[in-house]
Amino acid sequence: NNSASESERGYSQMIFSGIEVHDVREDFPYVAGREYEERKLSNISTVVFHHSVTGTPSGHAATMRTLQSIHEWHTAGKTDVGPHNWPAIGYHFAIDGRGEIYYLNNINLITYHARNANVWGIGVVWLGSYLDEAPTKVMQNAAGRLYSALCSHLNNRLQVLGHYQVTSATACPGPHWAKTRDYIWNWTPEYVISQQGAENWEKQAFRLIFVGASNVSMQEGSTADDAHDAEEILRHMDRIKERHNLGGDT
C-alpha cells in the first residue's frame, strides 16, 4: 500500500540514503476501488524522467497545488489523449523549481507514468515545461541526488531514460534531454559501479528492459500502440547492444 510509517512521514524527512524529500504520499490517496499493483524492488531497472508541461512552482504551497492538479487529472476525466482514471497520481517523485523533491508513491508500486516502462521503471517528473529550455541546474542537481540515492537504496546502477524513449507518441521530457540525461548519469555512486562492474550492470539492465518489452504484446489489455512502442524499445535495445558489445542471449 502507499501508507508511510511514522518514522517515514513528515516534510524534509531524511530517507533514501540521506537525501531530503517532502514525503507527501498520504496527500494523494487512491481513488476508492482502485489501487496500483506491487512489485519486487529487484525488478526495478530504470528511472524514467518526465516534465509536467505546467507552470514551474517555486514554493511549497504552489507545488502542492500543482501536484493536486496532476493527481486530479490522472485520476478522473477524459483528456485529449484518452481517459486516465488511474488509481492516483502516476509518478513516484516530483521536483519543483527550487530543486525540492516530493515523494508521491512507494517505489514498490507499479504506477502509471510511461507505457511499457511501468513494470520496471521509477517515474520522476520535473514540474514545468521544458520544450524551449532544459530544467535549471538546481532542478538537474536534485534529479542527480535522487538518482544517486535510488541507486544506493536499490544497490543497482539504474538506467536513465526519458519518457519518449519508452513511449513513442511523446516528446517528453523535451529536446534537451540527451545532455540532461548524461549529467544525471554522472551522479552514479562510485561504489555501485565498482561493486557491479560496468559490464554486469549493463547486461542486467539490458536484459530486464528487453524482456519487459518482449512481453508487452502478450499482456492482457495490450493494444496495437503498445505493440508498436514495444518494437521501438526493442530496436533501441539492439542499438545499445551493438554499441556496448552486449553479445549473447538476452
Side-chain angles (χ1 to χ4, degrees):
N1 65 57
N2 209 34
S3 62
S5 69
E6 184 176 350
S7 63
E8 291 176 320
R9 287 288 294 144
Y11 295 118
S12 295
Q13 181 66 42
M14 303 291 285
I15 59 176
F16 288 127
S17 305
I19 64 167
E20 289 190 349
V21 302
H22 296 274
D23 184 357
V24 295
R25 285 173 289 174
E26 292 183 356
D27 290 87
F28 304 103
Y30 285 147
V31 172
R34 306 179 208 161
E35 62 181 31
Y36 289 125
E37 294 182 15
E38 296 187 11
R39 62 186 170 190
K40 294 180 179 178
L41 294 182
S42 58
N43 289 342
I44 298 172
S45 67
T46 306
V47 182
V48 181
F49 281 86
H50 306 256
H51 67 157
S52 62
V53 198
T54 63
T56 305
S58 58
H60 177 69
T63 296
M64 291 300 290
R65 285 194 298 270
T66 299
L67 291 173
Q68 181 61 37
S69 177
I70 295 171
H71 175 70
E72 292 172 0
W73 182 53
H74 282 179
T75 56
K78 291 189 175 182
T79 72
D80 58 350
V81 294
H84 278 141
N85 298 323
W86 297 345
I89 192 169
Y91 308 112
H92 295 92
F93 296 92
I95 298 172
D96 73 5
R98 303 165 298 162
E100 294 290 307
I101 301 168
Y102 286 74
Y103 187 18
L104 308 174
N105 278 298
N106 289 345
I107 62 172
N108 71 316
L109 294 178
I110 303 173
T111 64
Y112 306 155
H113 60 93
R115 181 186 293 163
N116 302 331
N118 294 329
V119 172
W120 37 264
I122 291 174
V124 179
V125 61
W126 279 303
L127 298 179
S129 178
Y130 301 103
L131 296 173
D132 297 324
E133 58 185 5
T136 65
K137 267 293 185 269
V138 169
M139 298 176 77
Q140 291 184 44
N141 286 342
R145 292 195 307 274
L146 175 58
Y147 170 71
S148 178
L150 289 169
C151 289
S152 296
H153 186 71
L154 296 171
N155 197 28
N156 187 10
R157 190 179 191 186
L158 302 168
Q159 278 280 22
V160 182
L161 295 175
H163 186 189
Y164 74 84
Q165 292 177 289
V166 293
T167 305
S168 60
T170 182
C172 174
H176 305 278
W177 167 247
K179 289 184 178 179
T180 306
R181 181 262 182 204
D182 291 342
Y183 183 76
I184 295 168
W185 183 250
N186 288 332
W187 284 76
T188 309
E190 287 296 329
Y191 85 88
V192 173
I193 299 175
S194 61
Q195 178 175 308
Q196 293 189 317
E199 182 178 8
N200 287 340
W201 78 256
E202 284 177 340
K203 285 185 175 180
Q204 179 187 22
F206 179 87
R207 185 176 296 109
L208 284 168
I209 296 171
F210 184 91
V211 170
S214 299
N215 290 336
V216 160
S217 61
M218 294 184 288
Q219 293 176 1
E220 184 178 355
S222 292
T223 66
D225 285 342
D226 294 332
H228 172 74
D229 289 334
E231 290 172 4
E232 288 289 319
I233 293 171
L234 293 175
R235 282 193 286 271
H236 183 61
M237 290 301 102
D238 283 340
R239 290 192 290 271
I240 292 175
K241 183 177 180 180
E242 184 176 333
R243 185 162 64 247
H244 295 286
N245 296 315
L246 299 177
D249 296 335
T250 55

